Amino acid sequence: MSDKKDKIISIGDIALMIGVIAFCVAGIILLVSNSKPGGNVTVTVDGEAIESFPLNKDTEYSVNTDNGMNIIVIKDGVVSVSNADCPDKICVQHPPIDSEGETIICLPHKLVIEIVE
Amino acid sequence: MSRFLEENPKSNMKERHERTLESSRKKEQIKGNKLTALCGVFTALAMILSYLESLVPITFAVPGIKLGLANLVTIIALHKLGLKPTIIISVGRIILSGILFGNVTVIIYSLAGAALSILVMALVRLFKIFTVTGVSILGAVAHNLGQLFVAVIVLENVNIMYYFLVLGISGTIAGAFIGILAGMIMRNIHFR
């Protein structure tokens, strides 16, 4: 078959790749350099703030939502999710968070754990 | 006798004309049937690819990072079959695999991602600036963006949009990979 050989990759594509990646890397660098250590962590379910904890006190808290359960652990100033009964366990695999604005999200439970001032 | 001879070539021409008309109509018919069959095959292939991908979970630090093998089918369909079959294939794939392996949440997120992704890819293709790789990259990034929009609405938290910075990088790399793969496949496999 005499198809005209369509180019698979062009200079435009590479420029696009570099552009998008540069934009994202710049954004991340900006975010990281501006990040302040947070003081508190808020737990939000379905858009409603239900609980807030100081980061400097180690505690363990179990969130029971209509959709399921997550166990939030605050230890040494960092917050993580130690266990959950959601199917994907993305919140459990998420690395611990400690800077202002960082979040751990459990989509199936509509849960947002966010570090605030 | 002479009349008969006179009429004969005329009727022959007429017949031939009708025959070509008929055959062209038949060709169209086959094209339509072939298109329908190809849509079915593509949908099945997309479902298998997304199932395969779910079997090999590559979890990184941030949720939402994935290769998007099913997007391979979407891109090839968009280039070879057109916009309408692509929408049918994508929606069919998402609803079927959503019912089989996922839930309503998965379907909503996937539909939002696919809708924005196909819209962007179809628009970008009109301008002919990028090759299949560029189309795929923009499609992947748009897919991530569409899903983030839904997440922002569902979780009522705008800060989630920061994830776009990470997903933009992963989407670009995955999109480039899938785009190059789609280009190589389209070079070697002919559909018509």
Side-chain angles (χ1 to χ4, degrees), chain A residues 35-50:
Chain A
S35 77
K36 293 166 270 181
N40 289 289
V41 57
T42 57
V43 179
T44 310
V45 176
D46 211 354
E48 270 178 66
I50 58 160

Side-chain angles (χ1 to χ4, degrees), chain B residues 83-123:
Chain B
L83 182 59
K84 218 169 118 189
T86 308
I87 295 172
I88 293 169
I89 291 164
S90 278
V91 172
R93 191 258 305 172
I94 288 163
I95 289 176
L96 286 173
S97 31
I99 290 168
L100 285 173
F101 316 116
N103 49 49
V104 185
T105 321
V106 173
I107 294 177
I108 292 170
Y109 278 96
S110 301
L111 278 179
L116 199 62
S117 169
I118 292 175
L119 182 75
V120 167
M121 288 198 288
L123 283 177

Side-chain angles (χ1 to χ4, degrees), chain A residues 5-45:
Chain A
K5 290 260 179 188
D6 283 322
K7 274 173 96 178
I8 289 177
I9 192 158
S10 70
I11 296 167
D13 297 338
I14 295 166
L16 175 74
M17 262 182 92
I18 293 170
V20 175
I21 290 180
F23 170 79
C24 292
V25 169
I28 290 170
I29 289 170
L30 209 68
L31 266 186
V32 170
S33 63
N34 282 344
S35 77
K36 293 166 270 181
N40 289 289
V41 57
T42 57
V43 179
T44 310
V45 176

Side-chain angles (χ1 to χ4, degrees), chain B residues 130-147:
Chain B
F130 302 115
T131 65
V132 57
T133 308
V135 171
S136 171
I137 291 170
L138 285 167
V141 172
H143 194 277
N144 287 333
L145 208 57
Q147 295 196 318

